Amino acid sequence: MLYRNIRSSDDNKETINRFISNTPVFVCVISYTETSQIPGITAAGTNPDLITFTPAADAEFLYYGKCKSISGVPVTPDGIPTPALITRAALLRSKIPKLIVDAGSKIKPRVPAVSFGINHGENIMEKRAMSHADAEKAFEYGKMFGIQLGMMNDLVIVGESVPGGTTTALAVLTGFGINAKYKVSSSMKTNPHELKNQVVSIALERMKDISNFTSEPLDLVSNIGDPMLPSVAGIASGAVSQGVKVILAGGTQMTAVLCLLNELKVPLEKICIGTTSYVQEDKSSDIKYLVNSICDSVPILSIDLGLEFSANEGLKKYKTGIAKEGVGAGGSTIAATLKKRSNLDSSSLLASIDSEYESTIQKYQHDHK
Amino acid sequence: MLYRNIRSSDDNKETINRFISNTPVFVCVISYTETSQIPGITAAGTNPDLITFTPAADAEFLYYGKCKSISGVPVTPDGIPTPALITRAALLRSKIPKLIVDAGSKIKPRVPAVSFGINHGENIMEKRAMSHADAEKAFEYGKMFGIQLGMMNDLVIVGESVPGGTTTALAVLTGFGINAKYKVSSSMKTNPHELKNQVVSIALERMKDISNFTSEPLDLVSNIGDPMLPSVAGIASGAVSQGVKVILAGGTQMTAVLCLLNELKVPLEKICIGTTSYVQEDKSSDIKYLVNSICDSVPILSIDLGLEFSANEGLKKYKTGIAKEGVGAGGSTIAATLKKRSNLDSSSLLASIDSEYESTIQKYQHDHK
């Protein structure tokens, strides 16, 4: 009866039960890739300047319910809010602590953030995404931090905010030999597959030209990925080394993290991907195919947030395929629901999200009419 | 019988028992004040350049058992190691997680660190220590971070590494009306009280000259303190807001934090100062007087590490009054001893410290002969 809003890709309730926890923690890794500046590649931010600010704005929204690096609230002109709103509502409702990791953001968030001390990512069409040293540092620092989190918590949920991140994910998946074309998701209603494919094939051509390219996994990621990927992989690897469960909280971007973990021979038994049903059921992408191509024993948990029943038009639009996921919205709502004694079912979760929308986005819009 | 190496300033065993914990976390706040460059003010680092690197080196030593920002290990020519060695040994032995906070360090540590995004402190003899905005930010970010820690743990131990910090502590205590002259401790065998008094009286004169100085506590700290003080106060305040216990892990510097917390009306019931017996029994300072002048209900827990029985000459010298404390050595060994099921008594603690000394400092010296 419980958790009727959560599904596992193996259709086994026991798989869902494995991620029930007492002491979950949520980590949001914010990062940036210049790849996001390619026109038409992302819906995060309505103009190129805003795209740059999106990760910082998401981190701030998680803490404050408003932004500091940008004026206003992160919402499209049609009222569709950042998925950070969903994450914030779930974490507050279930009293799950949160930490921000700054892994190569371009705009520093105005919140306390764990710095991995790495640069933001470059446009993979033009040049190497990051130095090999930065990719190694991201993984190593991630691991050190993940170990500490694993000593404090029994479940680590890792989300991300990286505009343009599905394109770098596609590049990395393809680089690792996964047939990922037309399989990665998009924050836009119409998934710009052809554009992504074109960017990735240019990036792969560029990589081939580099004489010293090796098949070392972090080298590939440093070449055509983004700084979030090795950072999240490091955190997950540190956490599982402490015997702790991990939810990779995101859509198809997290399959690139999974692929990297697999290439690095990190054990995957304690790991799942946690996402929204909007990604899981998306016709323009195929997360299940991607995961099965990497390691078919890793489950995808997906949650139906029932946003079509929301009282707010902006939230209803998630069901139509806009935004869909991000900032760990799927994984955090799954973890909030599965947290012991949280007593959160689909209707109380939706009520929390609606209430959060009204007290933040709507209130701001009302105050600034 | 248990905890015979720990004393409480009220001589009440029940006070010690209040700080027994299941899920402690250690936080080391690294910071920097240019005040440390006044010749003769600190023993942290044997030359002005090294002083600047000490906080980063301490943070790195905690994680790696060696440093990255400096070559070699943080040890004096006589073999006296940084107190970070003691902290590292205690945390590893009792499996206590650790996080570094970068609150105005000048050299960024090569570890993952929570950044509070503030500048390092200026020489209080010459100018305002930091902007009022930075002091407020340090406290607010500290509080936000402390709240998250308090949601994950039942005890938060906060240590520091700030060369020259007892002088800024003296300034802040004096500014708040505490008769702290000749009462603050020193990392040196001979406490340079006259020099400290002179620096502080110049700083206080300078402050008087500022027309817009108010008696607001964070304004005073921003004027004559250092960035560690509002940061640690913020973390403590956030943790206690979650009903969690706090050990301010340090010597007389932590009395300045306590004073600030008291001025800011933060409840002090769940807070103690945790330090070494080398500070508690120091004839050249008076931590008990300082705490009693602020709030006599706050206990000082002190631990006798028995370093005079160490197998290593460098560690034996702690008993002679050099180093004494720092990087949370006292508070972390207290918390390690009081952690449930840690089974750590004074002899096994000393054995852990000795073993850590041999596998880090001594090994390095041997390898680089």
Side-chain angles (χ1 to χ4, degrees), chain A residues 304-318:
Chain A
D304 182 355
L305 297 170
L307 293 176
E308 67 272 31
F309 305 114
S310 164
N312 297 288
E313 289 307 314
L315 284 166
K316 279 187 184 171
K317 291 193 182 126
Y318 269 70

Side-chain angles (χ1 to χ4, degrees), chain A residues 166-185:
Chain A
T166 56
T167 303
T168 40
L170 173 62
V172 166
L173 288 162
T174 310
F176 282 132
I178 308 287
N179 180 15
K181 271 188 191 173
Y182 305 100
K183 308 290 195 307
V184 295
S185 181

Side-chain angles (χ1 to χ4, degrees), chain B residues 37-324:
Chain B
Q37 295 292 330
I38 299 169
I41 213 110
T42 179
T46 47
N47 69 47
D49 277 354
L50 271 181
I51 292 171
T52 316
F53 282 88
T54 295
D58 279 337
E60 292 160 7
F61 195 86
L62 280 182
Y63 266 100
Y64 306 113
K66 61 183 181 184
C67 299
K68 299 204 164 188
S69 293
I70 59 169
S71 62
V73 277
V75 59
T76 67
D78 330 359
I80 304 169
T82 168
L85 174 102
I86 297 167
T87 306
R88 177 176 156 84
L91 299 178
L92 288 176
R93 174 61 173 73
S94 291
K95 298 191 171 56
I96 297 178
K98 53 185 172 283
L99 294 167
I100 306 297
V101 169
D102 170 6
S105 71
K106 192 165 180 181
I107 303 295
K108 297 299 150 198
R110 299 195 194 170
V111 292
V114 181
S115 172
F116 281 7
I118 55 175
N119 290 322
H120 68 81
E122 299 292 348
N123 180 345
I124 59 168
M125 222 163 60
E126 293 169 0
K127 58 176 90 152
R128 194 182 181 97
M130 63 196 116
S131 69
H132 187 81
D134 266 7
E136 282 192 326
K137 192 173 175 184
F139 187 78
E140 284 310 314
Y141 279 27
K143 192 166 177 181
M144 288 161 69
F145 180 58
I147 288 171
Q148 309 310 316
L149 291 177
M151 291 171 81
M152 287 186 264
N153 305 276
D154 65 356
L155 170 68
V156 178
I157 312 132
V158 200
E160 55 68 42
S161 176
V162 194
T166 56
T167 303
T168 39
L170 173 62
V172 166
L173 288 163
T174 309
F176 282 132
I178 309 288
N179 180 13
K181 271 188 191 172
Y182 304 102
K183 307 291 194 305
V184 295
S185 181
S186 168
S187 53
M188 292 187 282
K189 199 167 177 176
T190 306
N191 196 331
H193 281 304
E194 299 307 336
L195 177 60
K196 289 180 185 176
N197 292 343
Q198 197 189 340
V199 170
V200 168
S201 70
I202 294 170
L204 289 168
E205 275 304 312
R206 179 184 55 70
M207 186 171 71
K208 269 191 206 151
D209 292 343
I210 299 167
S211 55
N212 66 350
F213 173 68
T214 69
S215 59
E216 201 268 305
L218 285 172
D219 200 25
L220 186 135
V221 168
S222 70
N223 215 309
I224 54 174
D226 64 58
M228 178 278 285
L229 299 169
S231 303
V232 174
I235 295 169
S237 137
V240 299
S241 79
Q242 301 301 301
V244 156
K245 297 163 282 191
V246 170
I247 297 181
L248 298 175
T252 50
Q253 283 173 263
M254 287 300 171
T255 68
V257 173
L258 191 66
C259 195
L260 175 59
L261 286 167
N262 193 45
E263 294 287 334
L264 292 169
K265 319 276 185 235
V266 174
L268 303 179
E269 291 76 30
K270 296 248 176 193
I271 298 178
C272 75
I273 287 184
T275 192
T276 61
S277 60
Y278 312 125
V279 167
Q280 170 75 23
E281 293 164 9
D282 178 29
K283 296 271 180 283
S284 81
S285 66
D286 196 342
I287 192 168
K288 196 166 176 179
Y289 173 90
L290 292 173
V291 172
N292 286 346
S293 305
I294 298 158
C295 175
D296 56 14
S297 65
V298 171
I300 306 163
L301 305 190
S302 60
I303 187 164
D304 182 356
L305 297 169
L307 293 177
E308 67 273 31
F309 304 115
S310 164
N312 298 288
E313 289 307 315
L315 284 165
K316 278 187 183 171
K317 288 188 184 131
Y318 268 70
K319 181 72 180 178
T320 69
I322 300 173
K324 297 186 190 75

Side-chain angles (χ1 to χ4, degrees), chain A residues 10 15 22 65 88 92 110 144 152 156 175 187 234 271 277 283 287 293 326 344 348 355:
Chain A
D10 62 2
T15 305
N22 274 301
R88 177 177 156 84
L92 288 176
R110 298 194 195 171
M144 288 162 70
M152 289 187 261
V156 178
S187 52
I271 299 178
S277 60
K283 297 269 181 283
I287 191 167
S293 305
L344 196 63
S348 56
S355 154

